Amino acid sequence: MSPVDDRRDPSGRQRGAARSQGRTQRTAAAPSQRRRGSDPARTAAYDVLRAVDGSDSYANLVLPPLLRDRRITGRDAAFATELAYGTLRLRGRYDAVIAQAAAREVSTIDAPALDVLRLGVHQLLGMRVPAHAAVSETVGLAREQLGTGPSQFVNAVLRTVGRTTSEEWEQRIAEAAGDDELARLSVTQSHPLWVVRALREALVGNGRSADEIEALLTADNGAPRVTLVARPGLVDQEEVLEETEGAGLVGALTPTGVILTGGDPAALPSVRDGRAGVQDEGSQLVALALTEAPLDGPDARWLDLCAGPGGKAALLAAVAGERGARIVANELQPHRARLVEQALRAVPADAVEDVRTGDGRTVGTDEPGAYDRVMVDAPCTGLGALRRRPEARWRRTPADLAGLSALQRDLLVSALQAVRPGGVVAYVTCSPHLVETQLVVKDAVKAASRAGIEVEPVDARDVVRHIAPAGYVDLDDDRTDVQLWPHVHGTDAMHLTLLRRTS
């Protein structure tokens, strides 16, 4: 870490040499112009929000290279990350605050100015940045990016916001939302109303109480832990823990998980060379469940039907290599297939039969009964990964479900065709939505039966509990599938169904 990286004061301002360095870079400008700018961390967060809004980019893909290119590291990088991600997660709450403070609907505010306001409100209400610093630095950002006129509007709105506490604002926007409990939660917990309803239905449909909805929404608004996967046969959990130099904890759900409490995962040797990777522990658990599910007959050829970007494929391939099995990784998009190849770079060549580009819906008819284990990590709404992809909640609509569920059903039917009798298929989504999980499985099993393929459920709960080091995972005892939850398990809301083909 350079001296500049460690010179951000508690208010979120740069200080000392860091601030001097920023002024030195602008000495050619007039004094009035030198006061117009903002610091690099806030500018980076603003650029992320503009990319997300203006070009449908994903924050988790935009921010890391932006920080690298601008050499923003250490505390500045952490500040920019929290500012960008926190603002995106709580956008709905902050828009309700802005509407009241500005006395106008946010739809009437120019998008760039609205993004600046959201950043300022997050500093005032969601971060430990003193009000004077939050306002002055955000107004400086507005001057730099938008000009004097918009900056005056930003200044007026933020000063109004700063005169009221976060708790008081939450009460105000809740009252403005009306008497409906879910409508209030939609505003205060910053989720579209249709998502709130769908998540509550998913809780009930998986044997949990509807009263857990607020805890689930709150968990969605928290920053997820950085979790590493130690890929078996390439590096073990203890080695990764040693590399973290005290900044790692043993995962609670898998023998491969390491929770990183500080530092840059890319700085670890095992991550750089592909023996380890960054992967949510829920994703690790569902992949390992496929490898541990009991099957009848040989266990030599595996398939990852929707392999991009490659995290689960790499874990499956590592286990396959230990057992003398081989994996085929299939991906529809060529650029994602290249990411799969990169993820598999440390896996022994004899464990990977092929990385191919193709439509997973045709694999079952092209290669009927050719595989012993098949992973279907289906494209989905991503409603279970809103901590990591906060913009997804604002992009998805109920209309997306029809097309996605049809695709998911077709992929699962293809997988059931591709697996041999006695083999096992894992159906996985990072969404708990009942349409994408239980209903898709039900429809796919019926469609496969009409084609002469019969299946039986494998109790995924027993498999998962066998994998977990503690031997216990809080799961619904009335179902054979598994639904993980951020507020219960600390993971993404991953769904897992295991099916064994019988004929």
Side-chain angles (χ1 to χ4, degrees), residues 225 227-228 237 241 249-259 281 469-470:
R225 301 176 299 186
T227 308
L228 307 176
Q237 193 180 53
L241 284 167
L249 302 172
V250 174
L253 296 178
T254 66
T256 54
V258 173
I259 299 166
E281 201 170 13

Side-chain angles (χ1 to χ4, degrees), residues 345-366:
R345 65 190 183 279
V347 177
D350 58 2
V352 180
E353 178 180 323
D354 193 15
V355 177
R356 63 174 65 156
T357 302
D359 189 336
R361 291 172 292 185
T362 67
V363 173
T365 54
D366 294 342

Side-chain angles (χ1 to χ4, degrees), residues 151-167:
S151 74
Q152 293 172 343
F153 171 66
V154 167
N155 180 58
V157 174
L158 292 184
R159 289 189 181 279
T160 299
V161 173
R163 286 193 287 267
T164 303
T165 67
S166 178
E167 292 75 18

Side-chain angles (χ1 to χ4, degrees), residues 223-304:
R225 301 176 299 186
V226 177
T227 308
L228 307 176
V229 56
R231 291 164 179 154
L234 307 179
V235 66
D236 61 36
Q237 193 180 53
E238 187 60 36
E239 290 178 78
V240 176
L241 284 167
E242 290 177 3
E243 289 183 356
T244 68
E245 297 180 345
L249 302 172
V250 174
L253 296 178
T254 66
T256 54
V258 173
I259 299 166
L260 193 63
T261 60
D264 181 4
L268 303 182
S270 59
V271 174
R272 286 200 303 267
D273 63 25
R275 292 175 295 130
V278 177
Q279 187 174 32
D280 179 74
E281 201 170 13
S283 293
Q284 298 178 45
L285 184 62
V286 297
L288 291 173
L290 174 61
T291 71
E292 295 297 321
L295 50 68
D296 299 324
D299 192 11
R301 195 166 186 244
W302 301 359
L303 170 66
D304 189 344

Side-chain angles (χ1 to χ4, degrees), residues 2 15 17 29 110 138 180 212 235 256 288 358 360 365 379 482 500:
S2 69
R15 61 186 182 185
D110 288 344
T138 306
D180 182 75
E212 294 182 31
V235 66
T256 54
L288 291 173
T365 54
V482 164
R500 183 188 297 110

